[in-house]
Amino acid sequence: MGNRLTKIYTRTGDDGSTGLGDGARVPKESLRVEAYGTVDEANCAIGVVLAIPNLPAEVKDCLLEVQHDLFDLGGGRCIPGHRIVTPTYILRLEARLDEFNETLPPLKDFILPGGGPAAAACHVARAVCRRAERRSWTLARVEEVAPDVLRYLNRLSDLLFVIARLLARHEQGTETVWRRTQDRTS
């Protein structure tokens, strides 16, 4: 990286274009930029979760590792044809998902996004991650996208859901179960 970021503004994007990692210029609203930009949003949302005090150490470690993965994933998205994310990334997520999920009671009902501050922030990160997955699928309909990127985002949103459940219990001891309309009116 060196001194690449010593000057933050370049004025090259003032015309509505942005540079990809291969040097090509594309419109800022291109599907590729939208896809990797939404991955960046997901990374920022995870950063918000990490900024909340007193997270369990295993959650902090996991989410920090995910943030590094998302930089890899975003970097791969900004260079057409470049692949960084491998099946190993997905297997690692699945192992963490299984590890965290086995400590939780089985879901019998839908739960409301919320809980304490960390759980609620994790639900936001999950929703942003789902959007990143949708944007990546939109891009995949017109350009090649490595299948491992799509799988990674899918597993990550699942992992964030499980972590949100874990954090709700950590912060409040429980989750709020969704009550159907007929259950609320009777």
Side-chain angles (χ1 to χ4, degrees):
M1 183 82 97
N3 292 324
R4 281 184 51 195
L5 296 178
T6 55
K7 186 169 182 169
I8 300 302
Y9 67 90
T10 62
R11 297 188 177 120
T12 56
D14 291 350
D15 65 354
S17 69
T18 192
L20 297 179
D22 66 356
R25 304 245 3 126
V26 297
K28 289 188 178 196
E29 71 278 6
S30 77
L31 295 178
R32 179 169 298 283
V33 175
E34 186 65 28
Y36 74 73
T38 310
V39 167
D40 184 38
E41 288 179 54
N43 204 343
C44 292
I46 290 169
V48 171
V49 177
L50 285 168
I52 296 170
N54 303 317
L55 293 177
E58 63 274 10
V59 168
K60 284 175 73 169
D61 293 344
C62 177
L63 291 180
L64 185 59
E65 188 170 33
V66 163
Q67 283 194 302
H68 286 285
D69 289 353
L70 289 176
F71 257 80
D72 288 347
L73 195 147
R77 291 289 36 118
C78 82
I79 304 170
H82 192 66
R83 294 178 186 221
I84 298 174
V85 174
T86 65
T88 304
Y89 285 61
I90 298 157
L91 291 173
R92 190 171 15 86
L93 280 188
E94 289 173 347
R96 293 311 290 263
L97 217 164
D98 291 341
E99 174 189 329
F100 289 147
N101 197 43
E102 76 181 26
T103 68
L104 296 168
L107 274 177
K108 295 178 182 169
D109 298 294
F110 289 108
I111 59 168
L112 297 179
C122 200
H123 278 293
V124 171
R126 172 191 54 79
V128 174
C129 184
R130 283 282 188 218
R131 182 161 31 96
E133 180 187 10
R134 291 191 306 272
R135 297 298 184 266
S136 294
W137 273 106
T138 300
L139 176 63
R141 303 283 184 236
V142 296
E143 293 183 35
E144 182 184 345
V145 173
D148 292 329
V149 166
L150 302 166
R151 286 186 201 107
Y152 183 91
L153 291 170
N154 184 273
R155 292 317 177 285
L156 177 57
S157 60
D158 293 340
L159 176 64
L160 292 170
F161 175 75
V162 167
I163 290 174
R165 292 191 68 208
L166 218 153
L167 291 173
R169 284 177 160 57
H170 173 75
E171 294 174 308
Q172 290 187 211
T174 189
E175 300 164 298
T176 303
V177 174
W178 169 62
R179 290 181 294 131
R180 298 169 196 233
T181 303
Q182 66 263 23
D183 296 338
R184 292 190 313 253
T185 57
S186 49

